[in-house]
Amino acid sequence: MRVTHKMLTDNYLSNLNRNLAAMQKSQEQLSGFSEILRPSDDPYEITRIMRMDSSLKKNEQYLSNIENSLGWLDATDTALQSTISAVQRVQDLVTQGSSETYSEEQLSMISDEVLEIINEVTQYGNTSYQGRYIFAGHNTIEAPFEVDALSKEIVYAGGTTGDILTEISPGVNVSININAEDFLNPTGSVTIGETFQNVYAELVAGDSEQLATYADEIEEQLDAYLALASEVGAKTNRMESAKEKNKADTLNMTEILSSIQDIDLAEKTVEHSAMKAVYNATLSIGGHILQPTLLDYLG
Amino acid sequence: MPGIFSTYNTAIKGLQANSLATKTASNNIANAESQGYTRQRVILQESMPYSFSKFQVGTGVDVTNIERVRDKYLDAQIWHEYACYGSYTSAQYVMEQAEIIFNADETGLNNALTEMWTAWSDLAESPEGTNGRTIVLQATETFTGMLNQMASQTQTLKSDTTDLIASKTKEANDLISDIKALNDQIYKMNLKGLEPNSLEDQRGVLLDKLSALVNINVDYNEDSKVMITDADTGEVLLAHDTAGEPDLKMSVIGNITDDGTDQNITVYRDGDTSSPVEITVPSGTYDFSTGDVVYIETQEWAEYDADNTDIPPLTKAELKEGELAGNMEALAKLEGYASQLDDLAFAVATTVNYILTDGGTNGTPIFDDTNPDYTAANIKVNPDVQDDVTLIEAGAFGGLPGDGARALLISKLNEISLPADVSGTNLEDYLDNYYNETEFTLESDPSGRTLGGFYADIVATVGSDTQRASNGVSTQAALVAALEEREESISGVSIDEETVNLIKYSDLYAANSKVISTLTEMLDAVLNMV
């Protein structure tokens, strides 16, 4: 084959260009700190990256939902624990009042305390978390309970049923609330309002014999509230483990994402230096191959 | 008997031939880097001898030809590869711009979509009041704004590509006219018995350029005129004996609309966008799209010019290789991406509106449903909702403020698979069947894809199309380079070789001069005898 000088220069130039193009690519990856800078770099992986990005964003949202729910459940638990103490106190008072040694005057004093407790429990029922009444079902903007001014019974004000749902992982909805009915009527037969009202009425009437008949009912109410509290505890546990799983998922996905798109800095840097060396060599060789012709040797 | 004087002739012929050869070598050296230059070679042949007694006596040397050293078979091969290379580079040029529009960046559509679902999730978490609704509205506005922008960018890229096709078509037509002019000049020089080497080089350069635009077959006749055929369609672009304008020219379809009775077509005549020709034909006559290259006979144009009534028949050029074909292919791909993007816009707007309104029976849609054929270009937020965000219903109709079940379902559209084909009533049918308006559930279509998947598919398609074009460019570039090297090896100027020729021929010139001085001595000797 005939070889001309133009072939040499053309070849040289195209090789130089190729080296430069490879350098540009690696420099882009180094400065962008990513293997895949545009869809055509890897059309398959780019869709994985996109899915992973969306899943990560979604996961962040789940985490915020879970944390929000934990706060809600915490508030619920506090309210229930306080209610349980209140019921226990009423139980104690009923036991005391049932003994025949108490005078009417003393019973009347106890009745004042029970009235106080009735108001307290109503307060617990009207607990709000971040401006939302937690026992109100769907009607979260109105206080669910009030004390009837005459009968002193705790009655529904705005409270309703309705599940407050939250999504804690893809497709998993969890109801995080105890609705108004469950709070006021945990036994399903008599509301705590009625029980308290009856106890109060007997105390006011000074009838310790009648008072004693409510001991069992209060015991049932107490058990029902304890059950309710343990339900909330179970939900809290579930949320805690969902939170752990969420964090583990995020970590996993971040790792996978990083393995797909991040560059191995050490490897890339070495690769880049090698390219630089090749490019420099190409440049210096250019001077040697392009100069000589026969003309150089003619006197 | 051969005399001294006839030997003078032999020597002079030698001088002339070697001086011509020296000149040719110098010309080669001078043009070593000229574009399209083909090295030339002097073909020397011994002159006709005459008979003397029983001998044949030589009479010197003749220059029979100054030959262009060219391999026509290789030319044809290179022209074809230029066409392939052209289709990849021109496709790549457009695709790389499309890739910027349909990106997977952190600020891209994928993110806007995810942000929108997140906003609905936030609303589901606290459905009371306007706070969550305002966030939903803003996220939805960002999403529609981004779709609108992408649609308009795609449209701009499409019209830029159409203009590019038109200007390349014009270039191809001009090149063919120039080649035709060179054909004529070469023919005339041949008639005069002259060697039109430099004109042939010029014609070669023009053919190189033309072959990058259109895949051409070139045929030479005995007059050294070329006939150019479109290799993909077999249409003759330039005949050997074309006298005036070529019989056929390429034009470009600018815009085409069909209103059911008439088809209105804008034709960029000969690729000229400055004075488009509007023609009207009966509805459904042609199946063209914007940017298509069509063949129109010159004669038909002439008849149309005479009275503006006889509309010339248009024949679509089914080009497969070359820059024009590459741009046309890229344009078709852009069309595809745009329609996929429209599908996404349609699927999002239809589904979200359906859930928000229980299939149009109640409530207020968040996407303006004045025209329910949502596209990426026309999708926008319902102005009523912009005025009053409380119109967004987060729970059941007539429900209580803490109910966020509807918003929760919308936030989950990220994971729910919708029918892959949303055309016609497919999507509505699916929603009618799978949406439960009391439980707020929407079952996934088992053979469907998620809305995020819709966009991921577009990005993957754009990515692999771009990758294919770029890979094509690099492979084809290597092939073209190899062929160009072979061509250079045959037709290129080697300085070393020409220097050797220069030395050789100038030595021969000196030798011939020596012959003359020897002859003079001989003649002196004879004269001195007297």
Side-chain angles (χ1 to χ4, degrees):
Chain A
M1 181 155 133
R2 277 178 85 242
V3 176
T4 71
H5 277 85
K6 188 158 182 296
M7 283 159 77
L8 293 182
T9 49
D10 283 358
N11 249 329
Y12 173 71
L13 273 177
S14 81
N15 284 329
L16 194 68
N17 243 326
R18 212 181 39 226
N19 291 341
L20 207 55
M23 280 238 300
Q24 185 212 13
K25 177 95 196 164
S26 109
Q27 218 157 54
E28 215 182 334
Q29 287 177 334
L30 265 175
S31 59
F33 210 75
S34 174
E35 283 281 351
I36 300 168
L37 295 158
R38 51 184 77 77
S40 60
D41 289 343
D42 195 329
Y44 168 70
E45 293 292 9
I46 198 86
T47 57
R48 275 183 74 195
I49 292 173
M50 283 169 72
R51 284 203 190 103
M52 215 68 95
D53 274 341
S54 308
S55 300
L56 271 173
K57 282 245 168 59
K58 260 305 217 182
N59 235 36
E60 267 170 40
Q61 180 66 26
Y62 294 142
L63 185 63
S64 116
N65 290 356
I66 290 168
E67 270 162 1
N68 196 20
S69 306
L70 278 171
W72 176 288
L73 287 169
D74 211 28
T76 310
D77 192 53
T78 311
L80 283 176
Q81 293 303 340
S82 310
T83 308
I84 287 166
S85 312
V87 176
Q88 276 168 339
R89 179 67 188 147
V90 171
Q91 194 178 32
D92 290 349
L93 292 173
V94 167
T95 316
Q96 282 175 28
S98 304
S99 75
E100 287 167 12
T101 55
Y102 273 61
S103 67
E104 274 189 35
E105 198 177 321
Q106 281 170 314
L107 288 179
S108 159
M109 272 169 67
I110 295 175
S111 81
D112 287 345
E113 195 179 341
V114 169
L115 187 59
E116 207 50 52
I117 289 171
I118 289 174
N119 284 323
E120 246 174 62
V121 170
T122 313
Q123 288 292 311
Y124 300 146
N126 288 341
T127 304
S128 67
Y129 177 70
Q130 290 181 347
R132 311 170 75 193
Y133 291 103
I134 57 177
F135 295 112
H138 278 164
N139 195 6
T140 46
I141 54 168
E142 274 182 77
F145 309 111
E146 63 188 11
V147 181
D148 188 90
L150 281 177
S151 66
K152 306 299 177 199
E153 183 189 345
I154 306 172
V155 292
Y156 298 112
T160 63
T161 55
D163 289 341
I164 302 291
L165 295 174
T166 190
E167 195 182 16
I168 58 166
S169 60
V172 180
N173 286 354
V174 177
S175 155
I176 54 167
N177 67 326
I178 306 288
N179 63 38
E181 210 176 289
D182 287 339
F183 181 81
L184 197 62
N185 189 4
T187 58
S189 47
V190 188
T191 71
I192 192 75
E194 285 167 338
T195 308
F196 281 179
Q197 187 227 353
N198 288 335
V199 168
Y200 175 71
E202 299 305 340
L203 285 169
V204 171
D207 192 340
S208 53
E209 225 167 280
Q210 276 295 317
L211 190 64
T213 59
Y214 290 106
D216 288 349
E217 196 176 307
I218 292 174
E219 183 69 38
E220 269 173 45
Q221 295 281 17
L222 191 62
D223 286 348
Y225 277 112
L226 284 168
L228 216 51
S230 64
E231 195 184 305
V232 171
K235 274 184 186 167
T236 308
N237 285 343
R238 182 173 179 193
M239 285 293 171
E240 290 288 1
S241 64
K243 188 172 163 182
E244 290 310 308
K245 182 167 182 308
N246 181 292
K247 284 187 169 164
D249 283 352
T250 302
L251 202 66
N252 273 340
M253 281 193 280
T254 316
E255 219 159 85
I256 295 171
L257 196 58
S258 146
S259 79
I260 299 172
Q261 67 175 2
D262 288 356
I263 53 165
D264 180 335
L265 193 58
E267 193 188 309
K268 264 284 171 253
T269 316
V270 171
E271 206 180 290
H272 190 72
S273 323
M275 277 177 190
K276 227 157 67 184
V278 170
Y279 181 64
N280 278 331
T282 318
L283 279 179
S284 70
I285 267 190
H288 297 293
I289 59 166
L290 297 179
Q291 275 171 357
T293 68
L294 180 59
L295 291 171
D296 299 336
Y297 301 97
L298 292 177
Chain B
M1 171 195 160
I4 290 174
F5 290 106
S6 74
T7 315
Y8 261 118
N9 270 338
T10 307
I12 286 167
K13 276 167 131 181
L15 276 179
Q16 282 171 342
N18 286 307
S19 124
L20 203 57
T22 312
K23 202 172 171 58
T24 307
S26 335
N27 191 46
N28 280 341
I29 292 172
N31 281 297
E33 292 290 331
S34 304
Q35 194 202 2
Y37 182 74
T38 307
R39 82 181 154 104
Q40 296 176 6
R41 194 163 60 183
V42 174
I43 307 293
L44 301 177
Q45 198 184 32
E46 68 171 307
S47 308
M48 279 297 285
Y50 66 90
S51 301
F52 170 69
S53 175
K54 57 182 179 179
F55 310 112
Q56 292 243 299
V57 178
T59 56
V61 65
D62 280 332
V63 176
T64 55
N65 196 1
I66 298 180
E67 184 194 55
R68 277 170 90 231
V69 187
R70 190 112 201 139
D71 179 348
K72 282 184 177 161
Y73 173 71
L74 189 59
D75 278 347
Q77 229 180 328
I78 287 189
W79 287 329
H80 177 67
E81 298 307 337
Y82 275 157
C84 285
Y85 182 60
S87 36
Y88 286 123
T89 47
S90 59
Q92 187 197 29
Y93 176 79
V94 179
M95 298 305 306
E96 280 182 342
Q97 295 175 70
E99 202 179 22
I100 297 170
I101 303 175
F102 298 95
N103 62 38
D105 290 357
E106 278 151 26
T107 51
L109 188 69
N110 193 43
N111 183 53
L113 199 56
T114 313
E115 294 278 321
M116 189 164 74
W117 306 137
T118 307
W120 281 104
S121 183
D122 281 332
L123 176 60
E125 281 291 299
S126 51
E128 305 87 354
T130 56
N131 209 347
R133 288 176 171 77
T134 309
I135 293 169
V136 164
L137 176 69
Q138 280 164 352
T140 311
E141 278 170 345
T142 309
F143 173 70
T144 55
M146 201 167 279
L147 274 177
N148 297 157
Q149 195 195 357
M150 287 170 81
S152 91
Q153 283 172 332
T154 313
Q155 188 51 46
T156 309
L157 185 54
K158 267 160 68 184
S159 63
D160 285 354
T161 308
T162 307
D163 287 352
L164 197 63
I165 292 174
S167 81
K168 282 179 182 167
T169 303
K170 187 168 184 304
E171 192 188 344
N173 283 327
D174 290 349
L175 281 169
I176 292 169
S177 302
D178 292 349
I179 292 168
K180 193 241 152 206
L182 281 169
N183 258 354
D184 293 345
Q185 289 180 37
I186 289 168
Y187 172 63
K188 277 180 201 149
M189 285 195 70
N190 272 332
L191 275 187
K192 290 181 196 160
L194 301 171
E195 288 289 339
N197 282 350
S198 72
L199 293 177
E200 288 192 33
D201 281 346
Q202 279 179 39
R203 188 172 64 184
V205 172
L206 298 186
L207 284 166
D208 282 352
K209 284 185 183 163
L210 181 62
S211 69
L213 299 170
V214 186
N215 190 12
I216 51 169
N217 282 339
V218 176
D219 177 62
Y220 297 85
N221 73 353
E222 65 277 11
D223 294 330
S224 295
K225 283 185 169 182
V226 295
M227 176 173 88
I228 303 172
T229 325
D230 171 357
D232 293 327
T233 63
E235 296 282 0
V236 177
L237 303 175
L238 180 71
H240 288 306
D241 54 2
T242 298
E245 292 269 290
D247 290 343
L248 206 63
K249 278 195 164 186
M250 287 179 278
S251 293
V252 177
I253 302 295
N255 198 16
I256 180 161
T257 55
D258 198 328
D259 61 8
T261 47
D262 285 329
Q263 213 169 23
N264 294 302
I265 306 174
T266 312
V267 180
Y268 297 137
R269 183 170 172 174
D270 304 340
D272 185 0
T273 48
S274 59
S275 52
V277 181
E278 306 285 345
I279 60 171
T280 305
V281 289
S283 167
T285 309
Y286 292 118
D287 180 23
F288 293 146
S289 35
T290 300
D292 277 349
V293 176
V294 290
Y295 285 126
I296 304 174
E297 291 194 16
T298 312
Q299 180 59 30
E300 304 277 357
W301 270 127
E303 282 168 26
Y304 176 77
D305 288 339
D307 51 9
N308 278 3
T309 51
D310 288 330
I311 291 164
L314 315 173
T315 317
K316 184 175 175 181
E318 304 282 356
L319 303 175
K320 294 182 189 71
E321 307 282 1
E323 288 184 17
L324 285 176
N327 281 141
M328 278 162 76
E329 192 195 333
L331 201 55
K333 292 229 159 89
L334 286 179
E335 200 79 54
Y337 308 149
S339 98
Q340 277 181 281
L341 196 64
D342 286 345
D343 280 353
L344 173 67
F346 178 77
V348 170
T350 307
T351 311
V352 172
N353 276 356
Y354 192 99
I355 296 173
L356 274 179
T357 61
D358 280 348
T361 55
N362 210 337
T364 316
I366 193 165
F367 294 102
D368 187 1
D369 63 351
T370 324
N371 175 11
D373 289 329
Y374 311 103
T375 65
N378 75 14
I379 191 171
K380 63 172 184 180
V381 175
N382 188 350
D384 295 343
V385 175
Q386 275 168 326
D387 290 344
D388 179 8
V389 287
T390 58
L391 290 172
I392 300 172
E393 186 56 74
F397 289 116
L400 292 157
D403 181 9
R406 193 185 297 273
L408 186 63
L409 174 59
I410 294 175
S411 83
K412 286 199 285 193
L413 284 176
N414 197 41
E415 289 113 37
I416 296 170
S417 294
L418 303 179
D421 178 11
V422 296
S423 62
T425 59
N426 281 354
L427 187 58
E428 271 99 325
D429 293 347
Y430 156 79
L431 291 167
D432 286 342
N433 288 328
Y434 289 86
Y435 171 60
N436 181 328
E437 63 183 57
T438 48
E439 299 284 324
F440 293 113
T441 54
L442 181 64
E443 270 178 62
S444 275
D445 184 326
S447 57
R449 55 178 171 172
T450 63
L451 286 166
F454 271 70
Y455 185 61
D457 283 352
I458 304 178
V459 173
T461 317
V462 175
S464 60
D465 285 345
T466 314
Q467 195 185 38
R468 206 185 123 252
S470 316
N471 289 346
V473 168
S474 28
T475 348
Q476 199 61 29
L479 191 55
V480 165
L483 284 173
E484 277 179 339
E485 186 165 280
R486 247 171 78 190
E487 187 185 40
E488 175 65 21
S489 165
I490 294 167
S491 306
V493 176
S494 160
I495 302 289
D496 294 346
E497 185 183 319
E498 299 305 333
T499 311
V500 169
N501 282 343
L502 214 54
I503 295 166
K504 188 168 75 183
Y505 292 125
S506 63
D507 282 356
L508 283 171
Y509 188 87
N512 278 294
S513 312
K514 189 72 188 165
V515 171
I516 290 176
S517 69
T518 309
L519 285 175
T520 312
E521 278 171 28
M522 283 167 72
L523 209 56
D524 276 352
V526 171
L527 288 174
N528 286 337
M529 282 163 60
V530 181

